[in-house]
Amino acid sequence: MPASSLTSVPSFRSRIGCDPRSGYYAAPHRYRLHLSPSCPHCLRIAVAHSLLGLDDILPVTLLPAVPDAPDGGYLALRPLYEASSHQHPGPAVAPVLSDDWTGRIVSTHTPDILRDLARQFGGRGPDLHPRGAAEAIEAVARLCERGITRAAQRAGESGGDSAARDTALATLLRTLDVLESRLASRERLLGDEVTVADLHLWVTLVQLDLVHRHHLDAAAVHRITVHPRLWAYAQRLTAHPAFGTHLDLDGIARRHHAHCRGEEAAGAAVQIVDWAAYARRQAPQRARQPG
């Protein structure tokens, strides 16, 4: 199974400021997002972009579900990377927030991009990154990464130490229990409105079911399903057009099989959510394929 990239160091990490003195400042039609919704980081940004209603001021270029460059990056992004860092040593990966005025990359760091979309471009949609909620949002992101994504990856590793797999599964189930309890008296993680915390959790649950489940045994998956509030929450969000229209089931499957080196297990046959009932009910109109 591929290692998570949430903790990798981003190649570019500039910020969108509040005024022209910041260099990169919020201006309609200046910036562009380059996203592949089969990637969990890109999927979070795509949902935020739709929730904030940024179609008319910040265009999106869609990339293939599976990176098409030999080094694991995207051929379409290589010119941007080279213009931003001469002889860039790594792959040209997504997500990317670029500046059309200069032809350079602003940021490849998902948390910063999400924060800047919400605070510098938001206004028509929900307050995705409320003031004073940064620590709570980061805590949810860590919980999702360590308690669900990494734990599920380790629990699904083939061969090796069975005790370590059991410990990882126990961590995963405890994390799901915590989230199940948190949703007992609320429909969202941090309040009445959707925030970036909900984007983190929703995408993590999508990956848990559509990717990591395939490497777990059936008994483990059945234990994962026994969190009715959590999975009902996932389905409620998926029914929202800003979420479901970006859910590319075929793309996620192809990306997973292109990168995965683990063996498929019996859990692959135990479906948790019927994502197809919600996915891509309305085709996104704002995005275009790279030419």
Side-chain angles (χ1 to χ4, degrees), residues 41-235:
H41 304 296
C42 293
L43 182 55
R44 291 185 181 95
I45 295 171
V47 172
H49 182 273
S50 288
L51 286 169
L52 295 169
L54 301 180
D55 296 356
D56 296 334
I57 64 172
L58 204 171
V60 174
T61 294
L62 287 181
L63 299 165
V66 180
D68 54 359
D71 60 359
Y74 286 98
L75 294 173
L77 294 180
R78 176 52 60 180
L80 272 175
Y81 271 79
E82 292 293 349
S84 307
S85 174
H86 182 60
Q87 296 184 338
H88 178 75
V93 298
V96 166
L97 174 64
S98 67
D99 178 9
D100 280 353
W101 291 2
T102 64
R104 294 176 180 270
I105 294 173
V106 178
S107 181
T108 57
H109 187 54
T110 299
D112 287 349
I113 294 173
L114 287 170
R115 188 179 294 108
D116 287 347
L117 291 185
R119 292 187 177 173
Q120 308 303 338
F121 292 97
R124 290 165 47 190
D127 189 358
L128 294 181
H129 217 297
R131 300 290 176 178
E135 290 187 6
I137 290 172
E138 290 172 5
V140 169
R142 287 194 300 270
L143 186 67
C144 290
E145 169 67 3
R146 299 171 185 175
I148 299 180
T149 300
R150 290 186 191 176
Q153 288 173 340
R154 290 169 181 165
E157 289 177 350
S158 58
D161 187 352
S162 61
R165 292 197 299 273
D166 291 343
T167 298
L169 178 60
T171 297
L172 170 61
L173 294 172
R174 281 197 304 272
T175 302
L176 297 180
D177 289 343
V178 168
L179 293 165
E180 178 81 3
S181 298
R182 183 176 295 191
L183 292 168
S185 59
R186 63 182 74 176
E187 290 196 353
R188 305 287 183 260
L189 285 177
L190 300 185
D192 296 331
E193 297 289 332
V194 172
T195 67
V196 170
D198 296 294
L199 272 60
H200 280 299
L201 179 54
W202 180 75
V203 171
T204 300
L205 293 175
V206 168
Q207 291 287 306
L208 177 59
D209 190 8
L210 297 180
V211 175
H212 307 307
R213 166 176 61 85
H214 291 261
H215 301 280
L216 298 170
D217 62 42
V221 177
H222 281 300
R223 295 174 71 184
I224 289 170
T225 65
V226 188
H227 296 85
R229 297 188 192 97
L230 190 58
W231 293 109
Y233 159 90
Q235 291 177 78

